[in-house]
Amino acid sequence: MNKLFFLIAVTITTLSVQAQDSEKLPIIAYWSFDNDSGNTLIDSGPNKLNAVLKSKDDTQKILTAEGMKGKALFLEAKSKVKYVIDDKKNLLNITPPYTICAWVKKTAEKPKSMCIFSKKFDSHSTGYDFRISWNKLNSNVGNGSESFAVSSPYKSVKDNTWNHFAITNDGEKIILFINGETAQMKIVPEDISNVTPKANKAKAVIANYVGRPDAYNFVGLIDELYIIAKVLTNDELFQLAAP
Amino acid sequence: MLKNIPVIFLLTITFCYNAFCADRSINVTATDKAPKLDAKINDACWDKIKWYSEFSTLNAPDKKPEAQTHFKMLHDNKFLYVLAKLDEPLMNKLKANIKQRDGRVYDDDCLELFIDVNKNQVSYYHFIINSLGTIYDAQRRQGGHVATKEWDIDGIKIATEKYSDHWVIEMAIPLVKLGIEPDNSGIWGINIARDRQSKKEFSTFMPLNGGFHQPGHFGDLVLKDADLKAFSWEIKAPYAIKTISQNGKVFINNKLYITNDTGKFRFIKIKTKLLNHDESKITTTGLPNETGKEVQISTPAGANGNTLLVVNIINRQNNNLLATRLFPVNIEYSPLKINLTQPFYRNCIFSTESINELKGEIISNLESLTEVVLLIELKDSAGETVSSKVIKEITNTNDFSLEIPDLKYGEYHLCAELQKNNKKIYSAKIPVKKLPPLKGEVRIDKNLITLVDGEKFLPYGWFSYRDEFDLAQKQGYNIYVNYNAYYKSDKKLKEWLDENVKNGLKAIIYPYPERKYNNPERWQKPLSTEEAEGIRNFVRKWKSHPGILAWYMADEPELRPALPARISAIKKICEEEDPYHPCIMLNDTLDGIHKYIDGGDIFSPDPYPLFIQNKYAAKPIEKVGKFIEEIAIAGKNKKAAWITPQGFNYGDYGRVNNRAPNFVELRNMQYQAIIAGATGFTWYTYYRAKPYPDLILGVEFLGKEARLLKNVILSPQKRIAMKTGDKYVKAVYYKNIDGADWIIVVNNATEAKQLELILPEDAPSKWYILSEKKQVDSNGKTLKDRLNLYDTNIYTSSKLLADKLSTASTQNKINEMKKTKK
């Protein structure tokens, strides 16, 4: 009985600590990949935006491996799966200010462009995504009339290496961070009216994009994926990322 | 033959020595529980740990000291713990006076530790502790030749205690402060030594002759079960260094390349500051494991001069120090600076050179140069412009050339002015002189060789002939370094200088009218008005005497230690009064060359290797070449390099078991210096050399050989470095001098080496070894040969020149003379 009380007390304390952390940041979604269930990636944030595995292979299961904090989502080259988020309230039609960040380890050369997170049809001028393209961190935003892309410098992303990536958007500028440092910053040019992603009906997808599963599938590991309704500073990103 | 050294005997000694040293490894166990640092031996942590002991006496490895020393070691991956028990039958005579950190702790009874964590024999740490717990700590670089005592190991913990018949030291050395490089094997170089002052007894754990600072003879310290991964950071030396001004403050900007090999991703803070400067800056970054990254650093700077950049890598999560390094840097800031390259020397146009263009660079360290133009003018003493030009698109470094007419003798000023919207922002000016002729004029040309009356001059001679002029002349020497001119009256000095001239010698003397100018206590003070006047008058009086070659600025000033500003002030007076004779500086440390670099036009250091009876050089003989190389670095290729090689027996100065260098070793030192770029030779010291046939006959031969090779030696700009594949073997190639190609090779190892040199294109296939009546054929692409220990080979494609002299003949004469002396 004493042991049970102890266990309950520890659990409540732990959950309390987590609740306090969540309250500090306006988290829209947070996938830690530590507590996934069946074919569903569990969103540990307040909105329960769980993601379901979609694959041509019925026997495909969620794969995990050792990540930067606990377990990470593991994507094989041959599987070409996607994790489609159940977002009935369209909470992922986000507007600035926001931050999207994750620990990422790309392990294959192809495809040349891989989505970490996407809520965008490739050719449409709506939505947004978070990618690695030609070994550059990449953010695409469609504001309804045009797309605005920001990329980190050439070869700033190395294969087979854990890196912490982040994109922040305050409505006037988009900043890309690699390992807590600014890798690229683009201020909205005069000929682009804004960088607010236009809401769309595209499914939000982890590790792929809403279209063909073999076009931009991610190959490697993703851990601690966050979508936060705030532009985090360098220090806040570090605090969130620190293993 | 020359190479007839008792090699087998020496090799036997080496073998036995190495076997003995293998038994002197120290195994350091890992502990979970750190010892309580209270200088008590009964701490349970130490119970099962082996005592190491059996120190031997320095310079007498077979002799045990009267008082023995014992020690134990432990580690916990954070600290290296040392417990030392120093037996002392005369505790009442224990010397313990020094209380200041980095003071002369070695003058007290003390324990010395030498730790080479990367086992590269290039840099190590030196700790000295006395019975009061006072510490002297220094980083030693460049094989131990350079000591940085400004390096302090923060976080070291020391406890000491005295007992009735011994005293104890217990200490903890933080591992993070030891500059552990990636892939560290956990096997370090170590020695422990002891200074016992009551009996002047010096003992050492590793048997040694000569001195304690011999990283090549450190034993192995083996850290058992060590996990040093957390310290595995590689930080390359700073590069792309610039000193700039920003918002009225000076910064040193540079790049660092940092590699994380700790096994984990690390978020880090990089904190940099200059030594003894409070301000620092922090840069943050994240580095994956096995990843390197270039980081741009900006550090607040203080006064101009040489200093050290401290780089600390700190764990951003918990603020723990992960790695620390020190790098020498030079702060040199001015908003506008003019550097003349033509004329090259002293901003003077000598009568023996024809110049119709001034050339150089103008450096601006201003933050912004937008819409700024540069006006360059040469003005005469009345302020009239003789020549001018405007450079419109300027950058931080601006090369220029300014045509000039045939100038009249006199003083001019080269002026540079930055203008924006026709208004002056900054200006700078330097004097430029057009000199009238003087017989005996001495200058340094852009190839850093000495010219007398416009002709190439190879300075070769000794310190202190004690006025045996005829002997010096007979042996072919042409320079005389003399300490004692200031003891002579004007009449005697003139007679002495006249005698030099009569015997074909030129003198190098202090510019001091009296001995008191050279008193130790004066060296530490700025030059007084009275002293300046005295020096000025002396130089003015003697500058026109044809017997003067140069002014001797200082002898080993770092030992006094002399104030660099004092020496610079003396040099300035000599330059102003007498532009016709250069100033010579002699240093005996690498650091000293840097510190006093503004004090001379010519640097002639004395890197004595010390030579041990029946053994080799006590210090690595390759230090000779290193000192010459350092002159080019410190002087930025603007200072001439000479060498003051060891031509005496240190035993004559009281050092036990020392001997004079032999002919092979003398030749090694001379040619090491030439390979590194030396163009003058002032052997130390003639009157001490006389009892030794090797020195008297050997150096005489080397002088003849140098004169035969004069055009080779005086072409340092034509040296082509050759890769030998062996760090102990140095080689350079010269093309087409005196109608031949030349290769000079020196083996600095204490063993024979097989040589395979890759020859440049169109190299001859037949080579003759100078002075040795030997021929070596190559296939035109590589040259193969064998060099004995310390040996020198000079290969030439000219048989005629190769056969002019004979080392074998000289060695025979040396051997004969030795027999007659017995």
Side-chain angles (χ1 to χ4, degrees), chain B residues 324-340:
Chain B
T324 183
R325 302 284 189 276
L326 280 174
F327 298 104
V329 290
N330 183 40
I331 311 294
E332 200 182 336
Y333 177 75
S334 63
L336 192 62
K337 193 175 171 189
I338 306 170
N339 289 330
L340 264 186

mmCIF file with all atom_site columns, all heavy atoms in Angstrom, chain B residues 324-340:
data_model
loop_
_atom_site.group_PDB
_atom_site.id
_atom_site.type_symbol
_atom_site.label_atom_id
_atom_site.label_alt_id
_atom_site.label_comp_id
_atom_site.label_asym_id
_atom_site.label_entity_id
_atom_site.label_seq_id
_atom_site.pdbx_PDB_ins_code
_atom_site.Cartn_x
_atom_site.Cartn_y
_atom_site.Cartn_z
_atom_site.occupancy
_atom_site.B_iso_or_equiv
_atom_site.pdbx_formal_charge
_atom_site.auth_seq_id
_atom_site.auth_comp_id
_atom_site.auth_asym_id
_atom_site.auth_atom_id
_atom_site.pdbx_PDB_model_num
ATOM 1   N N   . THR B 1 324 ? 39.761 24.296 -22.104 1.00 0.00 ? 324 THR B N   1
ATOM 2   C CA  . THR B 1 324 ? 40.363 25.623 -22.077 1.00 0.00 ? 324 THR B CA  1
ATOM 3   C C   . THR B 1 324 ? 41.694 25.587 -22.821 1.00 0.00 ? 324 THR B C   1
ATOM 4   O O   . THR B 1 324 ? 42.415 24.597 -22.763 1.00 0.00 ? 324 THR B O   1
ATOM 5   C CB  . THR B 1 324 ? 40.535 26.127 -20.628 1.00 0.00 ? 324 THR B CB  1
ATOM 6   O OG1 . THR B 1 324 ? 41.060 27.447 -20.649 1.00 0.00 ? 324 THR B OG1 1
ATOM 7   C CG2 . THR B 1 324 ? 41.475 25.247 -19.834 1.00 0.00 ? 324 THR B CG2 1
ATOM 8   N N   . ARG B 1 325 ? 41.979 26.635 -23.535 1.00 0.00 ? 325 ARG B N   1
ATOM 9   C CA  . ARG B 1 325 ? 43.249 26.712 -24.275 1.00 0.00 ? 325 ARG B CA  1
ATOM 10  C C   . ARG B 1 325 ? 43.767 28.145 -24.215 1.00 0.00 ? 325 ARG B C   1
ATOM 11  O O   . ARG B 1 325 ? 43.005 29.097 -24.088 1.00 0.00 ? 325 ARG B O   1
ATOM 12  C CB  . ARG B 1 325 ? 43.064 26.345 -25.763 1.00 0.00 ? 325 ARG B CB  1
ATOM 13  C CG  . ARG B 1 325 ? 42.491 24.991 -26.050 1.00 0.00 ? 325 ARG B CG  1
ATOM 14  C CD  . ARG B 1 325 ? 43.496 23.876 -25.867 1.00 0.00 ? 325 ARG B CD  1
ATOM 15  N NE  . ARG B 1 325 ? 42.954 22.615 -26.352 1.00 0.00 ? 325 ARG B NE  1
ATOM 16  C CZ  . ARG B 1 325 ? 42.172 21.797 -25.644 1.00 0.00 ? 325 ARG B CZ  1
ATOM 17  N NH1 . ARG B 1 325 ? 41.847 22.102 -24.395 1.00 0.00 ? 325 ARG B NH1 1
ATOM 18  N NH2 . ARG B 1 325 ? 41.723 20.676 -26.176 1.00 0.00 ? 325 ARG B NH2 1
ATOM 19  N N   . LEU B 1 326 ? 45.096 28.235 -24.401 1.00 0.00 ? 326 LEU B N   1
ATOM 20  C CA  . LEU B 1 326 ? 45.747 29.552 -24.474 1.00 0.00 ? 326 LEU B CA  1
ATOM 21  C C   . LEU B 1 326 ? 46.442 29.672 -25.817 1.00 0.00 ? 326 LEU B C   1
ATOM 22  O O   . LEU B 1 326 ? 47.145 28.746 -26.218 1.00 0.00 ? 326 LEU B O   1
ATOM 23  C CB  . LEU B 1 326 ? 46.835 29.654 -23.407 1.00 0.00 ? 326 LEU B CB  1
ATOM 24  C CG  . LEU B 1 326 ? 46.436 29.965 -21.967 1.00 0.00 ? 326 LEU B CG  1
ATOM 25  C CD1 . LEU B 1 326 ? 47.648 29.867 -21.078 1.00 0.00 ? 326 LEU B CD1 1
ATOM 26  C CD2 . LEU B 1 326 ? 45.846 31.346 -21.871 1.00 0.00 ? 326 LEU B CD2 1
ATOM 27  N N   . PHE B 1 327 ? 46.293 30.793 -26.489 1.00 0.00 ? 327 PHE B N   1
ATOM 28  C CA  . PHE B 1 327 ? 46.962 30.993 -27.780 1.00 0.00 ? 327 PHE B CA  1
ATOM 29  C C   . PHE B 1 327 ? 47.673 32.341 -27.779 1.00 0.00 ? 327 PHE B C   1
ATOM 30  O O   . PHE B 1 327 ? 47.069 33.349 -27.422 1.00 0.00 ? 327 PHE B O   1
ATOM 31  C CB  . PHE B 1 327 ? 45.942 30.981 -28.923 1.00 0.00 ? 327 PHE B CB  1
ATOM 32  C CG  . PHE B 1 327 ? 45.195 29.684 -29.064 1.00 0.00 ? 327 PHE B CG  1
ATOM 33  C CD1 . PHE B 1 327 ? 43.884 29.576 -28.628 1.00 0.00 ? 327 PHE B CD1 1
ATOM 34  C CD2 . PHE B 1 327 ? 45.796 28.575 -29.620 1.00 0.00 ? 327 PHE B CD2 1
ATOM 35  C CE1 . PHE B 1 327 ? 43.187 28.388 -28.750 1.00 0.00 ? 327 PHE B CE1 1
ATOM 36  C CE2 . PHE B 1 327 ? 45.109 27.371 -29.754 1.00 0.00 ? 327 PHE B CE2 1
ATOM 37  C CZ  . PHE B 1 327 ? 43.800 27.287 -29.305 1.00 0.00 ? 327 PHE B CZ  1
ATOM 38  N N   . PRO B 1 328 ? 48.939 32.377 -28.215 1.00 0.00 ? 328 PRO B N   1
ATOM 39  C CA  . PRO B 1 328 ? 49.603 33.685 -28.309 1.00 0.00 ? 328 PRO B CA  1
ATOM 40  C C   . PRO B 1 328 ? 49.009 34.503 -29.456 1.00 0.00 ? 328 PRO B C   1
ATOM 41  O O   . PRO B 1 328 ? 48.770 33.969 -30.533 1.00 0.00 ? 328 PRO B O   1
ATOM 42  C CB  . PRO B 1 328 ? 51.062 33.311 -28.614 1.00 0.00 ? 328 PRO B CB  1
ATOM 43  C CG  . PRO B 1 328 ? 51.044 31.911 -29.086 1.00 0.00 ? 328 PRO B CG  1
ATOM 44  C CD  . PRO B 1 328 ? 49.797 31.256 -28.612 1.00 0.00 ? 328 PRO B CD  1
ATOM 45  N N   . VAL B 1 329 ? 48.736 35.772 -29.182 1.00 0.00 ? 329 VAL B N   1
ATOM 46  C CA  . VAL B 1 329 ? 48.236 36.689 -30.220 1.00 0.00 ? 329 VAL B CA  1
ATOM 47  C C   . VAL B 1 329 ? 48.947 38.021 -30.063 1.00 0.00 ? 329 VAL B C   1
ATOM 48  O O   . VAL B 1 329 ? 49.487 38.325 -28.995 1.00 0.00 ? 329 VAL B O   1
ATOM 49  C CB  . VAL B 1 329 ? 46.703 36.914 -30.120 1.00 0.00 ? 329 VAL B CB  1
ATOM 50  C CG1 . VAL B 1 329 ? 45.939 35.664 -30.507 1.00 0.00 ? 329 VAL B CG1 1
ATOM 51  C CG2 . VAL B 1 329 ? 46.282 37.409 -28.766 1.00 0.00 ? 329 VAL B CG2 1
ATOM 52  N N   . ASN B 1 330 ? 48.923 38.786 -31.126 1.00 0.00 ? 330 ASN B N   1
ATOM 53  C CA  . ASN B 1 330 ? 49.542 40.109 -31.081 1.00 0.00 ? 330 ASN B CA  1
ATOM 54  C C   . ASN B 1 330 ? 48.479 41.165 -31.328 1.00 0.00 ? 330 ASN B C   1
ATOM 55  O O   . ASN B 1 330 ? 47.781 41.115 -32.343 1.00 0.00 ? 330 ASN B O   1
ATOM 56  C CB  . ASN B 1 330 ? 50.652 40.196 -32.127 1.00 0.00 ? 330 ASN B CB  1
ATOM 57  C CG  . ASN B 1 330 ? 51.359 41.530 -32.072 1.00 0.00 ? 330 ASN B CG  1
ATOM 58  O OD1 . ASN B 1 330 ? 51.614 42.054 -30.992 1.00 0.00 ? 330 ASN B OD1 1
ATOM 59  N ND2 . ASN B 1 330 ? 51.667 42.095 -33.208 1.00 0.00 ? 330 ASN B ND2 1
ATOM 60  N N   . ILE B 1 331 ? 48.361 42.102 -30.407 1.00 0.00 ? 331 ILE B N   1
ATOM 61  C CA  . ILE B 1 331 ? 47.415 43.204 -30.591 1.00 0.00 ? 331 ILE B CA  1
ATOM 62  C C   . ILE B 1 331 ? 48.186 44.370 -31.202 1.00 0.00 ? 331 ILE B C   1
ATOM 63  O O   . ILE B 1 331 ? 49.181 44.824 -30.643 1.00 0.00 ? 331 ILE B O   1
ATOM 64  C CB  . ILE B 1 331 ? 46.817 43.677 -29.237 1.00 0.00 ? 331 ILE B CB  1
ATOM 65  C CG1 . ILE B 1 331 ? 46.308 42.496 -28.432 1.00 0.00 ? 331 ILE B CG1 1
ATOM 66  C CG2 . ILE B 1 331 ? 45.743 44.732 -29.453 1.00 0.00 ? 331 ILE B CG2 1
ATOM 67  C CD1 . ILE B 1 331 ? 45.149 41.781 -29.046 1.00 0.00 ? 331 ILE B CD1 1
ATOM 68  N N   . GLU B 1 332 ? 47.721 44.769 -32.359 1.00 0.00 ? 332 GLU B N   1
ATOM 69  C CA  . GLU B 1 332 ? 48.442 45.854 -33.032 1.00 0.00 ? 332 GLU B CA  1
ATOM 70  C C   . GLU B 1 332 ? 47.398 46.750 -33.678 1.00 0.00 ? 332 GLU B C   1
ATOM 71  O O   . GLU B 1 332 ? 46.969 46.486 -34.787 1.00 0.00 ? 332 GLU B O   1
ATOM 72  C CB  . GLU B 1 332 ? 49.342 45.216 -34.083 1.00 0.00 ? 332 GLU B CB  1
ATOM 73  C CG  . GLU B 1 332 ? 50.470 46.097 -34.534 1.00 0.00 ? 332 GLU B CG  1
ATOM 74  C CD  . GLU B 1 332 ? 51.297 45.423 -35.618 1.00 0.00 ? 332 GLU B CD  1
ATOM 75  O OE1 . GLU B 1 332 ? 51.296 44.172 -35.690 1.00 0.00 ? 332 GLU B OE1 1
ATOM 76  O OE2 . GLU B 1 332 ? 51.910 46.143 -36.394 1.00 0.00 ? 332 GLU B OE2 1
ATOM 77  N N   . TYR B 1 333 ? 46.971 47.740 -32.967 1.00 0.00 ? 333 TYR B N   1
ATOM 78  C CA  . TYR B 1 333 ? 45.920 48.588 -33.515 1.00 0.00 ? 333 TYR B CA  1
ATOM 79  C C   . TYR B 1 333 ? 46.385 50.001 -33.730 1.00 0.00 ? 333 TYR B C   1
ATOM 80  O O   . TYR B 1 333 ? 47.007 50.612 -32.862 1.00 0.00 ? 333 TYR B O   1
ATOM 81  C CB  . TYR B 1 333 ? 44.684 48.596 -32.594 1.00 0.00 ? 333 TYR B CB  1
ATOM 82  C CG  . TYR B 1 333 ? 43.635 49.536 -33.127 1.00 0.00 ? 333 TYR B CG  1
ATOM 83  C CD1 . TYR B 1 333 ? 42.866 49.170 -34.221 1.00 0.00 ? 333 TYR B CD1 1
ATOM 84  C CD2 . TYR B 1 333 ? 43.493 50.815 -32.607 1.00 0.00 ? 333 TYR B CD2 1
ATOM 85  C CE1 . TYR B 1 333 ? 41.954 50.040 -34.765 1.00 0.00 ? 333 TYR B CE1 1
ATOM 86  C CE2 . TYR B 1 333 ? 42.578 51.690 -33.156 1.00 0.00 ? 333 TYR B CE2 1
ATOM 87  C CZ  . TYR B 1 333 ? 41.810 51.302 -34.226 1.00 0.00 ? 333 TYR B CZ  1
ATOM 88  O OH  . TYR B 1 333 ? 40.915 52.184 -34.784 1.00 0.00 ? 333 TYR B OH  1
ATOM 89  N N   . SER B 1 334 ? 46.098 50.497 -34.882 1.00 0.00 ? 334 SER B N   1
ATOM 90  C CA  . SER B 1 334 ? 46.140 51.948 -35.060 1.00 0.00 ? 334 SER B CA  1
ATOM 91  C C   . SER B 1 334 ? 45.156 52.240 -36.182 1.00 0.00 ? 334 SER B C   1
ATOM 92  O O   . SER B 1 334 ? 44.998 51.433 -37.091 1.00 0.00 ? 334 SER B O   1
ATOM 93  C CB  . SER B 1 334 ? 47.533 52.437 -35.417 1.00 0.00 ? 334 SER B CB  1
ATOM 94  O OG  . SER B 1 334 ? 47.933 51.899 -36.640 1.00 0.00 ? 334 SER B OG  1
ATOM 95  N N   . PRO B 1 335 ? 44.466 53.380 -36.138 1.00 0.00 ? 335 PRO B N   1
ATOM 96  C CA  . PRO B 1 335 ? 43.452 53.636 -37.157 1.00 0.00 ? 335 PRO B CA  1
ATOM 97  C C   . PRO B 1 335 ? 44.069 53.736 -38.546 1.00 0.00 ? 335 PRO B C   1
ATOM 98  O O   . PRO B 1 335 ? 43.433 53.399 -39.529 1.00 0.00 ? 335 PRO B O   1
ATOM 99  C CB  . PRO B 1 335 ? 42.803 54.950 -36.736 1.00 0.00 ? 335 PRO B CB  1
ATOM 100 C CG  . PRO B 1 335 ? 43.669 55.527 -35.683 1.00 0.00 ? 335 PRO B CG  1
ATOM 101 C CD  . PRO B 1 335 ? 44.539 54.468 -35.147 1.00 0.00 ? 335 PRO B CD  1
ATOM 102 N N   . LEU B 1 336 ? 45.341 54.202 -38.598 1.00 0.00 ? 336 LEU B N   1
ATOM 103 C CA  . LEU B 1 336 ? 45.983 54.351 -39.902 1.00 0.00 ? 336 LEU B CA  1
ATOM 104 C C   . LEU B 1 336 ? 47.473 54.079 -39.721 1.00 0.00 ? 336 LEU B C   1
ATOM 105 O O   . LEU B 1 336 ? 48.110 54.662 -38.842 1.00 0.00 ? 336 LEU B O   1
ATOM 106 C CB  . LEU B 1 336 ? 45.773 55.780 -40.412 1.00 0.00 ? 336 LEU B CB  1
ATOM 107 C CG  . LEU B 1 336 ? 46.125 56.067 -41.852 1.00 0.00 ? 336 LEU B CG  1
ATOM 108 C CD1 . LEU B 1 336 ? 45.253 55.236 -42.790 1.00 0.00 ? 336 LEU B CD1 1
ATOM 109 C CD2 . LEU B 1 336 ? 45.936 57.551 -42.155 1.00 0.00 ? 336 LEU B CD2 1
ATOM 110 N N   . LYS B 1 337 ? 48.000 53.194 -40.521 1.00 0.00 ? 337 LYS B N   1
ATOM 111 C CA  . LYS B 1 337 ? 49.402 52.825 -40.358 1.00 0.00 ? 337 LYS B CA  1
ATOM 112 C C   . LYS B 1 337 ? 50.074 52.700 -41.713 1.00 0.00 ? 337 LYS B C   1
ATOM 113 O O   . LYS B 1 337 ? 49.486 52.164 -42.665 1.00 0.00 ? 337 LYS B O   1
ATOM 114 C CB  . LYS B 1 337 ? 49.460 51.480 -39.636 1.00 0.00 ? 337 LYS B CB  1
ATOM 115 C CG  . LYS B 1 337 ? 50.828 51.131 -39.131 1.00 0.00 ? 337 LYS B CG  1
ATOM 116 C CD  . LYS B 1 337 ? 50.791 49.865 -38.327 1.00 0.00 ? 337 LYS B CD  1
ATOM 117 C CE  . LYS B 1 337 ? 52.225 49.455 -38.045 1.00 0.00 ? 337 LYS B CE  1
ATOM 118 N NZ  . LYS B 1 337 ? 52.344 48.175 -37.462 1.00 0.00 ? 337 LYS B NZ  1
ATOM 119 N N   . ILE B 1 338 ? 51.310 53.184 -41.779 1.00 0.00 ? 338 ILE B N   1
ATOM 120 C CA  . ILE B 1 338 ? 52.071 53.112 -43.031 1.00 0.00 ? 338 ILE B CA  1
ATOM 121 C C   . ILE B 1 338 ? 53.208 52.115 -42.843 1.00 0.00 ? 338 ILE B C   1
ATOM 122 O O   . ILE B 1 338 ? 53.990 52.236 -41.897 1.00 0.00 ? 338 ILE B O   1
ATOM 123 C CB  . ILE B 1 338 ? 52.688 54.476 -43.410 1.00 0.00 ? 338 ILE B CB  1
ATOM 124 C CG1 . ILE B 1 338 ? 51.623 55.568 -43.443 1.00 0.00 ? 338 ILE B CG1 1
ATOM 125 C CG2 . ILE B 1 338 ? 53.417 54.390 -44.753 1.00 0.00 ? 338 ILE B CG2 1
ATOM 126 C CD1 . ILE B 1 338 ? 52.204 56.971 -43.572 1.00 0.00 ? 338 ILE B CD1 1
ATOM 127 N N   . ASN B 1 339 ? 53.281 51.132 -43.715 1.00 0.00 ? 339 ASN B N   1
ATOM 128 C CA  . ASN B 1 339 ? 54.420 50.192 -43.712 1.00 0.00 ? 339 ASN B CA  1
ATOM 129 C C   . ASN B 1 339 ? 55.134 50.317 -45.045 1.00 0.00 ? 339 ASN B C   1
ATOM 130 O O   . ASN B 1 339 ? 54.557 50.049 -46.088 1.00 0.00 ? 339 ASN B O   1
ATOM 131 C CB  . ASN B 1 339 ? 53.935 48.739 -43.583 1.00 0.00 ? 339 ASN B CB  1
ATOM 132 C CG  . ASN B 1 339 ? 53.392 48.441 -42.217 1.00 0.00 ? 339 ASN B CG  1
ATOM 133 O OD1 . ASN B 1 339 ? 53.819 49.028 -41.222 1.00 0.00 ? 339 ASN B OD1 1
ATOM 134 N ND2 . ASN B 1 339 ? 52.436 47.540 -42.135 1.00 0.00 ? 339 ASN B ND2 1
ATOM 135 N N   . LEU B 1 340 ? 56.391 50.734 -44.989 1.00 0.00 ? 340 LEU B N   1
ATOM 136 C CA  . LEU B 1 340 ? 57.171 50.863 -46.222 1.00 0.00 ? 340 LEU B CA  1
ATOM 137 C C   . LEU B 1 340 ? 57.863 49.549 -46.538 1.00 0.00 ? 340 LEU B C   1
ATOM 138 O O   . LEU B 1 340 ? 58.425 48.918 -45.643 1.00 0.00 ? 340 LEU B O   1
ATOM 139 C CB  . LEU B 1 340 ? 58.254 51.928 -46.045 1.00 0.00 ? 340 LEU B CB  1
ATOM 140 C CG  . LEU B 1 340 ? 57.982 53.339 -46.512 1.00 0.00 ? 340 LEU B CG  1
ATOM 141 C CD1 . LEU B 1 340 ? 59.240 54.178 -46.365 1.00 0.00 ? 340 LEU B CD1 1
ATOM 142 C CD2 . LEU B 1 340 ? 57.515 53.373 -47.954 1.00 0.00 ? 340 LEU B CD2 1
#
